[in-house]
Amino acid sequence: MKLVKSLSTVACVIGLSLASTSPVLAASSTSVVGTWRNHVNWNCNTAGSTPITAALFTINADGTWSYPYGGGNWWQEEGLVIISFDSYPTLQYVGNVTKDAVVGIQGYSDNPGSRGCFYLLREQAGKASDVKHYVDGKDAVTNR
């Protein structure tokens, strides 16, 4: 799996093909910057499975994010966000951003059987003017 440096081109993220979008956050888009409560379900395709409440994610305006066990980089293109992990470079979360929630899928590119779904609920609002879409042109998967 390779994530291209610009989200305005087609990217392949955990088997999901993303359509080309505008290279900037639209004025009407909601910024993902802020603190979010993570809810994950690695078995969301299994009947009766329920999400678990995980740690808080702090998403910073500089394109980085953190939680008590690590962090990584994030990119937002209008209403779509991609979150990568420094300590697990093949793991990515991809979700749709609304005012107070992000809903999406997550998975490991090197293990197709390890996929799931997640949602984030906003704890405190960020400002759209703080959004940075790319981190020095670094690849989302390798941070290089």
Side-chain angles (χ1 to χ4, degrees):
M1 176 180 82
K2 181 179 180 185
L3 177 65
V4 293
K5 292 179 183 179
S6 170
L7 293 180
S8 62
T9 61
V10 177
C12 181
V13 181
I14 58 175
L16 177 66
S17 181
L18 305 176
S20 177
T21 59
S22 170
V24 296
L25 180 65
S28 61
S29 295
T30 299
S31 170
V32 74
V33 172
T35 303
W36 300 80
R37 174 73 56 191
N38 185 19
H39 303 265
V40 298
N41 187 341
W42 287 97
N43 299 305
C44 58
N45 290 330
T46 304
S49 68
T50 58
I52 59 168
T53 302
L56 287 176
F57 280 16
T58 300
I59 300 179
N60 305 305
D62 67 357
T64 63
W65 72 277
S66 63
Y67 76 120
Y69 310 105
N73 293 303
W74 66 271
W75 290 261
Q76 182 175 358
E77 185 85 21
E78 295 189 3
L80 177 72
V81 67
I82 298 174
I83 301 170
S84 68
F85 291 70
D86 288 341
S87 55
Y88 300 98
T90 63
L91 171 62
Q92 291 189 335
Y93 282 50
V94 179
N96 290 311
V97 181
T98 64
K99 180 180 177 188
D100 292 317
V102 176
V103 178
I105 58 173
Q106 83 271 12
Y108 288 87
S109 62
D110 60 351
N111 183 355
S114 186
R115 295 183 180 182
C117 50
F118 76 97
Y119 64 95
L120 305 174
L121 298 177
R122 188 182 296 276
E123 295 280 316
Q124 61 189 33
K127 297 185 295 184
S129 61
D130 292 339
V131 172
K132 184 173 182 180
H133 300 282
Y134 310 104
V135 181
D136 301 324
K138 294 181 181 176
D139 185 292
V141 176
T142 64
N143 195 30
R144 293 176 192 235

